[in-house]
Amino acid sequence: GENVEQHPSTLSVQEGDSAVIKCTYSDSASNYFPWYKQELGKGPQLIIDIRSNVGEKKDQRIAVTLNKTAKHFSLHITETQPEDSAVYFCAASYTGGFKTIFGAGTRLFVKA
Amino acid sequence: GAGVSQSPSNKVTEKGKDVELRCDPISGHTALYWYRQSLGQGLEFLIYFQGNSAPDKSGLPSDRFSAERTGGSVSTLTIQRTQQEDSAVYLCASREGQYTEAFFGQGTRLTVV
């Protein structure tokens, strides 16, 4: 069945360092890969997304890469700041419809 | 409204009782989703609607769970004969199209005692 695996579950970095979160998906029909950030007590919010016809996308300090052959995609945050501390979720949406499956989440701590 | 609205924000119920959770999506959004998030855990897919129909109900944990959507707008998630393991935050999201952002509500925190 459809599945999205996400690693690591917890990530601690020093302010200014980079953070990388990795995901793999099982269904090769997936064609849309959003990333969400969830702060305490709030619903997840989209931070960046990528479609399957693109290999990389960047928005300021955030970038996402996609390897369709390996069914891997990754989130890269550079120059991390304490306000980046949150839970990050990757997700994959399936061609057959709008169904979106989320990874288990990565809790990112940025130490000042 | 400006965003996805869920009610109630908190619900405490006794084991065995039925509960109804409500979601008001963003106007014009055709797709609506229900997810469950247990404490410190990820987002568990429950069901999604495209218009009023639910193409995929595979995520519903048991036949005690059901959901409906009327008029292509408001959705209700019903849990019958609640159990303690149903305690979680239930999140609703809506989106306009396939490659667009899903907007989440604040969630309903359900506690079964």
Side-chain angles (χ1 to χ4, degrees):
Chain A
E2 303 116 346
N3 188 45
V4 177
E5 294 197 359
Q6 182 171 349
H7 301 280
S9 56
T10 304
L11 179 59
S12 185
V13 300
Q14 203 68 35
E15 182 178 3
D17 288 351
S18 294
V20 180
I21 302 170
K22 299 182 178 182
C23 289
T24 60
Y25 58 98
S26 60
D27 191 333
S28 57
S30 300
N31 61 351
Y32 175 65
F33 307 92
W35 286 86
Y36 287 80
K37 176 183 180 181
Q38 186 177 30
E39 296 176 332
L40 196 63
K42 298 182 179 180
Q45 282 193 296
L46 181 76
I47 54 171
I48 194 167
D49 57 9
I50 190 168
R51 292 180 61 169
S52 59
N53 58 347
V54 175
E56 184 174 356
K57 183 176 179 181
K58 189 173 182 180
D59 182 4
Q60 299 182 343
R61 297 186 296 110
I62 296 173
V64 57
T65 58
L66 172 65
N67 182 330
K68 285 172 54 180
T69 303
K71 292 189 278 188
H72 289 173
F73 58 116
S74 300
L75 177 72
H76 304 252
I77 306 174
T78 58
E79 300 170 25
T80 53
Q81 301 167 3
E83 52 265 37
D84 294 331
S85 297
V87 179
Y88 291 81
F89 293 98
C90 62
S93 287
Y94 294 82
T95 306
F98 286 63
K99 185 174 182 179
T100 302
I101 302 296
F102 284 78
T106 296
R107 188 171 295 276
L108 174 65
F109 297 96
V110 180
K111 295 176 287 187
Chain B
V4 177
S5 178
Q6 290 187 247
S7 60
S9 54
N10 280 284
K11 177 71 177 179
V12 180
T13 189
E14 291 182 353
K15 178 181 173 181
K17 294 282 179 68
D18 297 353
V19 294
E20 281 192 355
L21 312 180
R22 177 187 168 105
C23 174
D24 280 276
I26 293 173
S27 178
H29 282 194
T30 58
L32 184 148
Y33 303 78
W34 285 100
Y35 292 89
R36 179 169 71 176
Q37 187 172 33
S38 300
L39 187 62
Q41 300 300 308
L43 300 172
E44 178 188 2
F45 171 82
L46 298 179
I47 188 171
Y48 87 95
F49 290 88
Q50 186 60 22
N52 288 338
S53 64
D56 193 321
K57 304 178 183 179
S58 63
L60 294 176
S62 73
D63 58 8
R64 295 186 296 105
F65 287 71
S66 63
E68 64 175 16
R69 188 180 187 194
T70 55
S73 181
V74 173
S75 176
T76 302
L77 177 68
T78 301
I79 308 173
Q80 295 178 309
R81 306 181 302 282
T82 51
Q83 303 294 313
Q84 287 185 329
E85 60 262 29
D86 299 334
S87 296
V89 175
Y90 290 81
L91 288 163
C92 175
S94 71
R95 61 199 293 206
E96 187 176 11
Q98 191 175 7
Y99 303 114
T100 60
E101 177 177 359
F103 291 87
F104 283 82
Q106 296 280 69
T108 293
R109 182 175 297 278
L110 175 67
T111 304
V112 182
V113 297

